[in-house]
């Protein structure tokens, strides 16, 4: 007699296909990041620009396919949030991967516009006020 497979919920209860898919989807990010939920460095933000180091170093055999894809797509300058969108992965997960790849020397992280280059808040306010007067 074949019936539903017993689950961890209790005897006679079976996981539906959707439950199994949900469990696999929840487990996948854990596996990709090797159980970590935080990046090794705080300097990697969503606006961080990533680029592969030249000459490209070979990734270790233990690198997951998402790390390989990230290094490949970063042959051209790409922001962390764009990489997450291309990989169809959560930004927080890509942050962990990118941080690891920066630490290992496979990627270089470049911050956005330096604070000193940003225009003065007062200047921006004056421009905004001038634009409003043009209406």
């Amino acid at each position: 007699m074949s019936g539903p497979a017993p689950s961890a919920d209790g005897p006679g209860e079976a996981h539906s296909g959707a439950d199994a898919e949900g469990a696999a989807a929840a487990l996948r990010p854990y596996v990709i990041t090797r159980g970590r939920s935080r990046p090794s460095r705080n300097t990697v933000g969503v606006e961080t620009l990533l680029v592969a180091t030249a000459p490209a170093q070979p990734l270790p055999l233990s690198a997951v396919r998402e790390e390989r894809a990230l290094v490949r797509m970063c042959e051209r300058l790409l922001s962390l949030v764009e990489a997450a969108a291309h990989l169809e992965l959560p930004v927080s997960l890509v942050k962990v991967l990118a941080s690891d790849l920066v630490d290992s020397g496979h990627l270089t992280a470049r911050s956005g516009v330096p604070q000193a280059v940003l225009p003065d808040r007062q200047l921006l306010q004056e421009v905004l006020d001038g634009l409003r007067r043009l209406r």
Side-chain angles (χ1 to χ4, degrees), residues 29-124:
Y30 180 84
V31 172
I32 292 171
T33 62
R34 295 171 189 88
R36 291 171 300 116
S37 61
R38 299 200 191 288
S40 61
R41 54 181 59 229
N42 292 329
T43 58
V44 177
V46 294
E47 74 287 349
T48 299
L49 300 174
L50 303 169
V51 65
T53 56
Q57 302 174 32
L59 286 164
L61 293 175
S62 61
V64 294
R65 81 170 165 247
E66 289 81 3
E67 287 173 314
R68 294 179 189 287
L70 183 56
V71 170
R72 243 188 339 269
M73 72 176 62
C74 288
E75 288 173 359
R76 298 183 56 166
L77 195 63
L78 191 66
S79 74
L80 185 122
V81 75
E82 288 174 305
H86 287 297
L87 291 170
E88 297 180 354
L89 292 171
V91 173
S92 58
L93 190 146
V94 177
K95 223 175 176 179
V96 173
L97 293 179
S99 177
D100 289 349
L101 291 167
V102 168
D103 289 345
S104 67
H106 293 92
L107 290 180
T108 300
R110 298 182 182 170
S111 61
V113 179
Q115 198 69 12
V117 178
L118 294 176
D120 179 42
R121 183 171 175 81
Q122 178 64 30
L123 174 64
L124 291 175

